Amino acid sequence: MKLSLDKVLLFLYVLLKPFYLFPSGNPQIADFVMLLLIAYTLLFRVNQLQRKYWFFVLLTLAFLYDILLVNGLWAIVLGGAIEVFESTKWYGYNCAVLLTVVVLCQREPRAYAKWLFWSVACSLAVQTLALLLGLAPGDQDFRQSLFFNNPNQLGYFGLLCLGICLFCARFFPVRAIYLFLVISCSLSVIAASLSKAAMVSAVLMYAAFLFVSSKERTGLFWKNVVCVLACFFLLFCIFLYTNENVLYEATMYTQVKERLETLGEDSDDNLASRGYDRIANHPAYMFFGAGEGQYERFESSIALELHSTVANLFFSYGLVGTLLFFLLLYAGVRGHRLYAWYPLFFQIVYGVTHNGIRETLFWILLALYCATAGISSGSIRKGGDLHGENFANMRH
């Protein structure tokens, strides 16, 4: 694979992504690397954008314009409240990342899918190693954050990495054992975070992956089933041939078990505690939106942002902003078969109880869908989304 500056910067971004040196809401070290990549793309690559992506770009700019308009007007109405306009910077940044990845991937989508797969795999390997060796700060905490600022960030990172790897693996031959190791690493960091939404979404995503693998007859289904059975057999042997109950005394196992057993029982396991009640309490914001920030002006169970991706978009930017967002999602995935949407779909499922729209890896995943749509459409005539030559490589 030919190495270039943009691939090096993309690799460094993904590798450094989990290392938070500053408080949440501020740029992290990886974001400065991404800014260099954006600048490089604007200077040397943006003029190469193919015409077939123009509609996607227009939708992205329309979505960003709506956010600028809503937050800008509310900032003026509320007497120059900069706090309301502050969240706009992250939408601008992520839209720039989205278009940057599309521009970079458009000429060699398979090569970039492969590069991102291994970049994410390396990042996951580093985090898993830190988890196993206890190198992260606060490794004795009930819920692990590793180098993030809170456990939910770690869980969402693992879920997005899982989605990116499962999606990218569709476009180049990858040995089942390597794919299973990547899946295992992502599930490990998700389990360490004890994020209920991330754990449930990850299990459902993996089940969807097995279903899709069986339909596409790549051989990945049975290989992964064998790997899962081998893991359960290993755990059974440990349980059977040791003098102590290793499984039930394992800290992570008991913590995951406790978290899942209390699903729906915790104080924040309801819609009101996630801020959904403000939608019913303030129906006047339904069309135009209320903007983000100064949440104390709303009648709600919490004085924070609404903890949901779609619900926060709907309340903050109204029907127009929400419609533009879903049009943007559809424009990205429309070149793929319906059952290939599952890696992105389960990010939205996670977003039912968490606002994940500011996470840049989400926008990178959407950009990958857009850039690889032509591959998927062209290969449908050959009997499946995966490229014909990959079937033979994956079977051996």
Side-chain angles (χ1 to χ4, degrees), residues 117-132:
F117 176 91
W118 291 115
S119 298
V120 169
C122 289
S123 187
L124 279 170
V126 170
Q127 298 307 307
T128 305
L129 189 62
L131 179 66
L132 293 175

Side-chain angles (χ1 to χ4, degrees), residues 115-171:
W115 184 257
L116 270 166
F117 176 91
W118 291 115
S119 298
V120 169
C122 289
S123 187
L124 279 170
V126 170
Q127 298 307 307
T128 305
L129 189 62
L131 179 66
L132 293 175
L133 299 179
L135 300 177
D139 63 299
Q140 301 302 320
D141 294 345
F142 177 69
R143 296 184 63 188
Q144 181 59 257
S145 301
L146 287 180
F147 302 98
F148 287 94
N149 289 335
N150 66 66
N152 288 328
Q153 292 171 343
L154 175 63
Y156 194 31
F157 167 77
L159 185 68
L160 282 163
C161 287
L162 178 62
I164 289 173
C165 286
L166 292 181
F167 180 73
C168 289
R170 301 173 62 80
F171 304 105

Side-chain angles (χ1 to χ4, degrees), residues 84-130:
V84 179
F85 195 74
E86 191 174 357
S87 62
T88 309
K89 65 184 180 184
W90 287 110
Y91 290 99
Y93 170 70
N94 285 320
C95 286
V97 172
L98 175 70
L99 298 180
T100 294
V101 176
V102 170
V103 171
L104 294 176
C105 293
Q106 61 178 339
R107 290 189 177 275
E108 298 179 294
R110 290 186 189 279
Y112 275 90
K114 184 177 181 179
W115 184 257
L116 270 166
F117 176 91
W118 291 115
S119 298
V120 169
C122 289
S123 187
L124 279 170
V126 170
Q127 298 307 307
T128 305
L129 189 62

Side-chain angles (χ1 to χ4, degrees), residues 367-396:
L368 283 169
Y369 268 93
C370 180
T372 57
I375 299 175
S376 182
S377 299
S379 60
I380 286 175
R381 295 190 296 272
K382 299 179 182 179
D385 279 341
L386 288 171
H387 194 259
E389 66 187 69
N390 287 353
F391 287 106
N393 291 330
M394 287 183 176
R395 287 196 185 104
H396 298 296

Side-chain angles (χ1 to χ4, degrees), residues 288-330:
F288 183 73
E292 295 190 62
Q294 287 201 352
Y295 300 110
E296 63 275 5
R297 58 195 165 113
F298 307 123
E299 182 184 346
S300 179
S301 299
I302 58 172
L304 302 170
E305 72 173 5
L306 207 157
H307 295 334
S308 166
T309 297
V310 176
N312 180 66
L313 274 174
F314 178 69
F315 185 76
S316 300
Y317 304 107
L319 289 169
V320 176
T322 307
L323 178 61
L324 285 171
F325 176 70
F326 278 105
L327 283 174
L328 184 60
L329 291 184
Y330 178 72

